[in-house]
Amino acid sequence: MPELPEVETIKRGLEPCVVGHKIANVRVLRPRQLRNVTPPELSARIEGEIIERLLRRGKYLLFFCSCNQVLIIHLRMTGQLLFYPSGQAPGTYTRMVITMESSGQLHLRDVRALAQITLLRADQVPAWRPLSSLGPEPFSMEFTPEDFRQALARRRAPIKNVLLGQKVVAGLGNIYADEALFQAGINPFRPANALTAVEIKGLWAAIRHTLKDGIAHGGTSIRDYVNSVGTPGSNQEYLLVYGRKGQLCKLCGSRLMGRRLAGRSTVFCPKCQPLDGIALKD
Ligand SMILES: [Zn+2]
């Protein structure tokens, strides 16, 4: 699933191709993926409008168009946004095609067809629940170690679940949550409110560091993720725990453990990330 670094990479790739360009035509091949509009309504509201800017918030990508229209896409499990400068026939898994007047075509390709497309007026965006319920952006001034500490103090759930929940900080999914917790030396199963102030500061820094590296490497490509021109990222080559269950820890040589947590595979080093007395079921 694309997480913050993947969506950010897609956004940066798309910006020069779509910002300042006029939408000539929108073709929806899978209407079920539109959350709140019909295909004719979507066409009527954004065809002829100019995409003025892109914004990423958490794992959402927002296309701000002229005439106060905002197209919001969440790629969920397998969504890809691919830009073709000279246009391209839709493939089996193409769910939506946005043809720009002069720069090319944007395709939403999505094998599992779970990506969600929403159209709002700009004035509806701030109060839209999926965005307004998100925690701060990890690189923003609003995400401070002190606010992070206060938010964790109110939560008893395992720290990894809290990170995946998006409410304390936005943008982390399974890959970057596992990596950040490893970097901070914190076991994913520990209750959020049991972390010390020093650990929380370390985790705060590790989250930002892990995500920054992910962006610098163009995202992590394990199954479906590719950038806006169809190229995989390289961050998978740098992962220390995610996907490495049973392999040796690159720091201490212990065998990495894998467990399910909140229905997600979770990998950690039992020595670098001590369980602190928590008993795990096999
Ligand atoms: Zn280790």
Side-chain angles (χ1 to χ4, degrees):
M1 181 195 279
E3 305 179 26
L4 184 153
E6 289 74 40
V7 180
E8 181 65 27
T9 303
I10 291 169
K11 172 189 167 250
R12 292 180 186 184
L14 287 180
E15 267 168 344
C17 306
V18 302
V19 172
H21 291 276
K22 189 186 273 190
I23 297 171
N25 175 267
V26 184
R27 189 172 159 204
V28 177
L29 297 121
R30 182 93 166 189
R32 201 168 55 77
Q33 289 182 252
L34 299 180
R35 281 171 66 120
N36 66 339
V37 280
T38 60
E41 228 179 301
L42 179 66
S43 293
R45 285 172 61 181
I46 66 171
E47 283 177 3
E49 302 304 334
I50 290 167
I51 298 178
E52 293 176 334
R53 68 186 173 102
L54 302 188
L55 176 78
R56 181 196 52 71
R57 178 77 174 96
K59 304 173 197 170
Y60 289 87
L61 188 57
L62 288 74
F63 296 73
F64 283 84
C65 305
S66 52
C67 235
N68 279 322
Q69 303 298 321
V70 185
L71 182 71
I72 305 176
I73 299 180
H74 192 298
L75 295 169
R76 304 282 301 279
M77 297 298 287
T78 58
Q80 301 172 332
L81 285 169
L82 298 162
F83 195 81
Y84 299 100
S86 49
Q88 172 92 0
T92 312
Y93 301 114
T94 307
R95 310 303 185 186
M96 179 172 72
V97 177
I98 298 179
T99 303
M100 308 305 295
E101 196 174 72
S102 52
S103 61
Q105 271 184 346
L106 176 62
H107 286 216
L108 170 64
R109 181 180 183 273
D110 186 8
V111 173
R112 293 184 60 182
L114 294 169
Q116 294 185 330
I117 303 160
T118 306
L119 184 68
L120 298 179
R121 291 192 318 269
D123 60 287
Q124 295 173 312
V125 172
W128 191 54
R129 196 70 197 145
L131 290 182
S132 66
S133 64
L134 289 179
E137 280 296 310
F139 299 117
S140 72
M141 302 284 280
E142 284 81 52
F143 185 54
T144 66
E146 177 53 23
D147 290 340
F148 189 39
R149 190 189 66 74
Q150 288 182 18
L152 295 185
R154 295 192 296 268
R155 289 168 165 88
R156 283 179 305 178
I159 180 63
K160 181 171 174 191
N161 297 16
V162 172
L163 296 181
L164 293 180
Q166 308 300 308
K167 290 194 163 47
V168 168
V169 58
L172 291 161
N174 211 25
I175 297 174
Y176 296 95
D178 272 10
E179 292 296 313
L181 286 164
F182 175 77
Q183 273 194 26
I186 295 169
N187 193 282
F189 283 83
R190 287 180 58 202
N193 62 1
L195 304 188
T196 67
V198 172
E199 286 175 324
I200 290 169
K201 195 151 188 203
L203 180 57
W204 175 85
I207 287 169
R208 292 160 53 109
H209 187 250
T210 309
L211 294 172
K212 211 168 147 192
D213 274 359
I215 295 170
H217 296 140
T220 304
S221 294
I222 290 177
R223 291 182 197 93
D224 300 286
Y225 170 71
V226 290
N227 67 15
S228 61
V229 292
T231 309
S234 65
N235 197 55
Q236 63 281 2
E237 293 161 26
Y238 302 88
L239 299 177
L240 298 174
V241 283
Y242 180 86
R244 298 192 66 241
K245 174 186 172 181
Q247 297 181 42
L248 301 182
C249 173
K250 292 184 181 180
L251 276 189
C252 76
S254 301
R255 199 163 293 282
L256 298 178
M257 291 176 73
R259 285 289 189 284
R260 303 293 289 180
L261 180 55
R264 312 294 302 274
S265 68
T266 295
V267 183
F268 61 91
C269 172
K271 193 166 168 199
C272 297
Q273 298 166 274
L275 274 158
D276 204 25
I278 300 165
L280 295 184
K281 289 182 224 119
D282 283 329

